[in-house]
């Protein structure tokens, strides 16, 4: 199953993708490339196509936000290999069209498996693989409001970026 995404505009440039999202930036800002590898095999995703597209969109935008923190001339490449969202998804009920997620704080913590590289002038200055997770996602302060999508996953990625990527400056 191929995951089709609608084209989007960023900085006046058009980008389209099959099973991948790429942000195209000018040379003045870090470029961020996000690829979702085999998204139909991810551990935990919404059942609806629109719900899945929303997860990809929110994560792609969040990686772009994180990548913007890099110094000019450095680019971030992320290949997402698996996603297990916080909580457990339940399919829509007969009287509702939306799936819903139950958060218990037990063995339902968020996890994102990825490969990453920070590049400067086309050369990797830091790269690796990570299984980013937050076992205490319901027990810690979260700066994202309850109304924001993927608040636990975004906080988890913020913490990973601050620990693993931000110190990677040469």
């Amino acid at each position: 199953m191929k995951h089709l995404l609608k084209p989007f505009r960023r900085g006046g440039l058009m980008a389209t993708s099959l099973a991948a999202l790429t942000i195209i930036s000018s040379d003045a800002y870090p470029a961020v490339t996000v690829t979702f590898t085999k998204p139909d095999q991810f551990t935990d995703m919404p059942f609806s196509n629109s719900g899945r597209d929303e997860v990809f969109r929110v994560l792609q935008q969040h990686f772009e936000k994180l990548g913007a923190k890099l110094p000019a001339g450095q680019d971030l490449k992320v290949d997402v290999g698996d996603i297990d969202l916080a909580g457990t998804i339940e399919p829509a009920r007969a009287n509702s069209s939306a799936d819903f997620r139950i958060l218990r704080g037990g063995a339902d913590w968020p996890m994102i498996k990825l490969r990453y590289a920070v590049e400067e002038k086309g050369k990797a200055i830091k790269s690796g693989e990570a299984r980013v997770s937050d076992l205490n996602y319901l027990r810690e302060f979260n700066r994202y409001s309850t109304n924001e999508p993927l608040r636990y996953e975004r906080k988890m990625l913020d913490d990973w970026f601050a620990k693993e990527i931000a110190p990677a400056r040469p």
Side-chain angles (χ1 to χ4, degrees):
M1 177 178 142
K2 289 186 179 178
H3 179 72
L4 300 174
L5 299 170
K6 295 180 181 177
F8 61 93
R9 292 195 178 273
R10 173 95 178 135
L13 299 173
M14 178 66 82
T16 61
S17 171
L18 291 176
L21 292 172
T22 302
I23 298 303
I24 300 173
S25 303
S26 72
D27 291 338
Y29 299 99
V32 177
T33 304
V34 178
T35 306
F36 296 94
T37 302
K38 298 181 182 178
D40 53 326
Q41 296 177 14
F42 286 176
T43 300
D44 180 26
M45 293 292 286
F47 293 107
S48 71
N49 286 336
S50 62
R52 293 173 67 87
D53 287 346
E54 176 71 2
V55 168
F56 296 133
R57 184 189 66 76
V58 169
L59 289 177
Q60 171 266 316
Q61 286 179 346
H62 197 68
F63 280 116
E64 180 186 62
K65 176 184 156 191
L66 293 172
K69 296 176 181 180
L70 293 172
Q74 290 185 5
D75 303 319
L76 176 64
K77 294 185 178 184
V78 178
D79 179 13
V80 178
D82 193 14
I83 298 173
D84 188 349
L85 300 173
T88 305
I89 195 159
E90 296 290 332
R93 302 289 186 233
N95 58 352
S96 173
S97 62
D99 300 329
F100 61 96
R101 192 163 283 283
I102 298 172
L103 305 172
R104 292 185 176 94
D108 60 351
W109 59 81
M111 184 280 303
I112 298 177
K113 191 178 194 181
L114 50 85
R115 287 189 305 256
Y116 63 92
V118 177
E119 297 181 351
E120 190 166 41
K121 298 178 183 172
K123 191 174 182 181
I125 60 172
K126 176 148 180 117
S127 64
E129 293 185 20
R131 186 180 183 275
V132 184
S133 61
D134 184 0
L135 281 60
N136 294 312
Y137 77 99
L138 285 178
R139 294 178 190 94
E140 297 174 340
F141 173 75
N142 192 324
R143 64 192 149 278
Y144 297 102
S145 78
T146 57
N147 298 336
E148 293 184 70
L150 303 180
R151 69 187 292 241
Y152 301 107
E153 293 77 8
R154 291 177 8 195
K155 179 201 175 290
M156 174 182 77
L157 290 171
D158 290 347
D159 295 345
W160 165 78
F161 188 87
K163 181 179 175 188
E164 295 296 324
I165 304 298
R169 307 221 167 100

